[in-house]
Amino acid sequence: MKKIAISLVVVVVVVGIWLTTRKANEVAGPVSTPTPTSSVSPTLSPSPTPSQQSNTVIYTDSGYSPATITIKKGQTVIWKNNSSKQMRTASAIHPTHSVYPTTGGCVGSTFDACMGLPSGQEWSFGFENAGTWKYHNHMNPSHTGTVVVE
Ligand SMILES: [Cu+2]
């Protein structure tokens, strides 16, 4: 009889402890998981570099302007004929046009417009070789210019 009473007390105490702890947990409520704040700021894509401006040389009756243009390897230079005469931009040296180290042009290098372009027209050439390349207007070889390819 005494054993049963002790067992009962133990059961009551255990159940009591279980109830109180359960209740305490309920009061505390479910631990609210912190909602992930969007701390990751959207990565701004870099704005297009303004280096994409056209590498244009204007040819007038007084010559090429700018006389020297600096570009990056692989870029293209455009020569626009704003003069009253024809413009045939070609690699140095007149008349062989063979300084720029590509072959297959009409005379020497491929850096050669190979024809006189009338006023208002333009010609472009892409530079794949780094260096300092002089050129001239084959129709008026005293008009010269330089392309610096970095
Ligand atoms: Cu020439």
Side-chain angles (χ1 to χ4, degrees), residues 40-98:
V40 180
S41 58
T43 49
L44 295 166
S45 57
S47 54
T49 49
S51 66
Q52 278 303 309
Q53 76 218 14
S54 58
N55 303 306
T56 303
V57 175
I58 305 296
Y59 181 70
T60 67
D61 288 329
S62 52
Y64 291 101
S65 180
T68 299
I69 189 167
T70 302
I71 63 168
K72 299 269 184 256
K73 189 179 168 184
Q75 288 188 328
T76 296
V77 175
I78 301 163
W79 286 268
K80 186 156 178 29
N81 184 4
N82 281 358
S83 77
S84 59
K85 309 263 175 52
Q86 286 193 338
M87 175 190 78
R88 176 181 165 183
T89 299
S91 167
I93 295 170
H94 182 73
T96 54
H97 303 176
S98 55

Side-chain angles (χ1 to χ4, degrees), residues 64 88-92 97 111-113 123 134-138:
Y64 291 101
R88 176 181 165 183
T89 299
S91 167
H97 303 176
F111 177 25
D112 189 336
W123 181 72
K134 292 186 184 300
Y135 64 88
H136 63 281
N137 176 15
H138 186 67

